[in-house]
Amino acid sequence: MDQEDYKERLNNDYYHVEGGVINIKMKQHMLVIIMAGGKGTRISKLFPHIPKPLIPIQGVPVLEREINSLVSQGFSNIILTVSHMSEKIVEYFGDGSRFGCKIEYYVEETPLGNAGALFKLRNRIGSDPFLLLNADSVFDVDFNRMIKYHEDHRASVTLFTHPNSHPYDSGLVITDEDGSVEQWLTKEDKRPEYYKNRVNAGLHVINPKVLDDARIDIDKIGSVDETTGKVVKVDFDRQILKALCGRHTMFCYDSPEYVKDMGTPERYQQVCDDFKRGIVNGKNLKNKQKAVFLDRDGTLNKYVGFLRKPEELELLPGVAEAIKRINESGYLAIVVTNQPVVARGEVTVSGIQIIHNKLETLLGLQGAYIDALYYCPHHPHKGYKGEIDALKIECSCRKPKPGLLFKAAEEFNIDLSQSWMIGDGKNDVEAGQNAGCRTALIGEVNCGQDMIVNSLLEFVEKVI
Ligand SMILES: [Zn+2]
């Protein structure tokens, strides 16, 4: 072990001194339960004799890639719940020693619903929080970061949530201002006219107490109910998670990391391409990210002066197409905007949320999404009627100051020198420069930018 490795282990692991010798003791990482029983009916046309978790991507089974990623992050205690072609999965992964971890199995003979196995494993799980991952999707996630979020929020459940390219026909998660889940809408439920593009990805941190609180009779699971004549199953989302809405105990962890369903031949092809281009691993937040920071008014939507109502927000031509290409490129798309209308008392915080929901809804209808949005609600000049005193300050986030970009860089591990800021004003160019980004201006007057373009789409065609 060289010095760097050693330092890293000291940072990562608990250690103690015993008789003058430092014994490094590996930190006990969380138990991971991976639900790997999915049949994958549509994808199985391509691979009729292989269970979905063993479908290869560039020669390596998808579940092996996920396990490798988990092991590299210190997770070595894994339970697989298996059913369809379970013997092939057990034969391939064995006790896990070949992959540097310990693997146990729960083999489901009759389908128990996606949470039945959890209850059958209840004693094995113990009392500490665990990771519950759905192997129907392909993922590469910095789980330690997600667990820290779970702990910081004292959550009983944390859902990994993300924007996707088809929110209009996806289930949606709607949160309160503190990030806790208020509503869980299925794709059939009536949704607000404008909504945030936030979809549950099937990866969770769970405190086992929520299983106990659900008061499900474990002995009955898998048996035939006498009144209905059907096998008793447990649906995790419907019976366990939805019951936690509105109780400020289940939180959303919004992340731009790679989680995609590969359930159809087209999606499988997309996932293979993304692996080849290094996007799947690259988007793990352990790795430095690159971003395109986007100004809002005059860059994404038509400039109307102070925009105060959702009706005034109208996307500029080509913007959705441009953002879609940013989404596919591996760059993050992050909006940074000055909104002094909040300090001026003209738009409330929830009012501006509706305006931003409209932005996300319109983009979503065209298959595009933003990874995050930061706005500065402040304004420095006092003395106007109706203003919010506390927001009338000299802040560090109002562009041309770089505060919003710095905040995004911290939250998403962004390398600012590999990133771009694009906008239609001098403030945008200067904010980008102050943050150490390359800059592009939509317009004509020289502001010292690196590149001048007529539209966001032209920028994307040149750079991305
Ligand atoms: Zn500010």
Side-chain angles (χ1 to χ4, degrees):
M1 182 184 317
D2 68 17
Q3 198 187 351
E4 282 306 306
D5 286 340
Y6 184 69
K7 261 200 282 182
E8 171 138 7
R9 285 193 69 169
L10 284 186
N11 286 332
N12 288 335
D13 304 337
Y14 298 132
Y15 62 98
H16 62 279
V17 180
E18 210 174 0
V21 180
I22 295 176
N23 288 322
I24 296 175
K25 190 173 148 215
M26 287 304 284
K27 185 166 158 184
Q28 285 299 306
H29 275 83
M30 251 181 207
L31 173 67
V32 183
I33 300 181
I34 306 179
M35 296 187 280
K39 259 189 169 164
T41 331
R42 286 174 294 173
I43 184 79
S44 67
K45 286 189 185 119
L46 287 183
F47 302 97
H49 307 296
I50 302 179
K52 199 173 171 189
L54 291 184
I55 289 176
I57 294 173
Q58 292 188 279
V60 179
V62 57
L63 182 56
E64 181 177 347
R65 288 181 177 276
E66 291 165 347
I67 287 176
N68 288 341
S69 171
L70 283 162
V71 171
S72 77
Q73 299 177 51
F75 298 92
S76 54
N77 206 352
I78 297 172
I79 300 177
L80 299 179
T81 71
V82 291
S83 106
H84 181 62
M85 293 198 243
S86 59
E87 63 297 338
K88 291 195 176 172
I89 298 175
V90 176
E91 190 193 349
Y92 188 85
F93 289 101
D95 64 1
S97 50
R98 202 155 63 85
F99 306 93
C101 59
K102 188 175 125 208
I103 299 180
E104 299 162 72
Y105 300 88
Y106 181 84
V107 182
E108 208 170 272
E109 306 290 352
T110 44
L112 303 176
N114 61 2
L118 281 188
F119 286 90
K120 297 288 183 189
L121 286 164
R122 182 63 195 89
N123 289 335
R124 169 66 188 82
I125 289 171
S127 57
D128 290 335
F130 62 101
L131 271 176
L132 177 66
L133 311 178
N134 189 337
D136 275 348
S137 48
V138 179
F139 53 82
D140 196 329
V141 167
D142 182 353
F143 285 111
N144 287 308
R145 187 182 269 257
M146 181 178 175
I147 291 165
K148 184 172 183 310
Y149 176 96
H150 180 81
E151 289 166 352
D152 289 348
H153 286 75
R154 299 170 183 274
S156 61
V157 172
T158 296
L159 305 175
F160 183 107
T161 45
H162 60 170
N164 76 9
S165 60
H166 51 100
Y168 47 85
D169 67 0
S170 302
L172 292 177
V173 183
I174 296 179
T175 63
D176 199 7
E177 274 166 32
D178 64 357
S180 70
V181 179
E182 272 296 306
Q183 289 184 67
W184 184 306
L185 304 177
T186 65
K187 57 182 172 183
E188 292 81 16
D189 289 333
K190 185 167 164 42
R191 55 186 63 200
E193 184 179 14
Y194 304 128
Y195 49 83
K196 184 170 171 58
N197 183 344
R198 181 189 267 141
V199 178
N200 175 34
L203 314 176
H204 331 67
V205 185
I206 313 269
N207 290 8
K209 193 171 174 299
V210 303
L211 300 177
D212 305 333
D213 290 346
R215 301 191 171 280
I216 283 170
D217 188 342
I218 297 179
D219 295 332
K220 286 210 174 123
I221 299 170
S223 69
V224 177
D225 184 288
E226 283 165 13
T227 45
T228 62
K230 287 179 182 163
V231 176
V232 177
K233 299 179 183 181
V234 188
D235 183 275
F236 193 58
D237 293 359
R238 205 159 40 80
Q239 286 172 265
I240 315 294
L241 297 184
K242 278 190 178 179
L244 299 174
C245 288
R247 288 167 55 181
H248 297 272
T249 181
M250 175 164 65
F251 284 81
C252 284
Y253 173 70
D254 291 323
S255 171
E257 292 167 294
Y258 196 94
V259 184
K260 248 187 208 160
D261 173 54
M262 61 161 209
T264 66
E266 300 75 41
R267 285 186 181 163
Y268 172 71
Q269 196 49 54
Q270 182 64 53
V271 167
C272 289
D273 290 348
D274 291 342
F275 262 104
K276 221 177 271 174
R277 291 159 62 214
I279 286 182
V280 181
N281 177 253
K283 287 199 126 179
N284 185 311
L285 289 178
K286 282 185 305 184
N287 302 312
K288 280 285 175 200
Q289 305 296 308
K290 46 188 187 171
V292 178
F293 292 104
L294 304 152
D295 169 47
R296 196 191 83 179
D297 303 317
T299 299
L300 304 182
N301 53 283
K302 220 181 224 173
Y303 184 79
V304 295
F306 289 123
L307 192 154
R308 299 180 181 91
K309 289 181 272 186
E311 303 86 84
E312 295 167 339
L313 184 127
E314 196 185 320
L315 285 185
L316 288 164
V319 160
E321 172 62 24
I323 293 184
K324 204 172 153 181
R325 289 207 218 162
I326 296 172
N327 298 151
E328 288 161 1
S329 70
Y331 277 88
L332 302 176
I334 297 179
V335 179
V336 286
T337 174
N338 289 348
Q339 292 303 323
V341 286
V342 181
R344 292 160 60 103
E346 295 170 349
V347 181
T348 60
V349 168
S350 52
I352 207 152
Q353 187 59 53
I354 295 173
I355 291 169
H356 292 151
N357 286 351
K358 179 172 182 185
L359 175 66
E360 293 206 35
T361 305
L362 294 180
L363 290 172
L365 288 171
Q366 297 185 64
Y369 58 86
I370 53 174
D371 291 291
L373 182 150
Y374 296 88
Y375 70 90
C376 164
H378 307 111
H379 192 257
H381 305 130
K382 282 192 186 209
Y384 298 90
K385 216 178 134 207
E387 67 187 16
I388 314 287
D389 243 11
L391 297 176
K392 284 284 186 173
I393 54 165
E394 227 12 284
C395 65
S396 60
C397 53
R398 181 172 161 83
K399 293 181 288 182
K401 289 185 178 154
L404 299 175
L405 291 85
F406 284 161
K407 185 154 193 259
E410 191 190 308
E411 294 190 350
F412 295 112
N413 194 18
I414 294 167
D415 180 350
L416 291 164
S417 70
Q418 296 296 311
S419 301
W420 284 84
M421 170 77 219
I422 178 165
D424 67 333
K426 195 161 177 274
N427 276 350
D428 301 313
V429 171
E430 287 178 5
Q433 288 168 340
N434 289 336
C437 298
R438 283 173 287 176
T439 57
L441 179 79
I442 301 174
E444 284 152 12
V445 186
N446 189 350
C447 302
Q449 70 289 330
D450 296 308
M451 177 185 289
I452 202 155
V453 289
N454 283 313
S455 68
L456 182 60
L457 190 55
E458 189 191 334
F459 164 80
V460 166
E461 278 164 354
K462 281 188 172 154
V463 172
I464 303 295

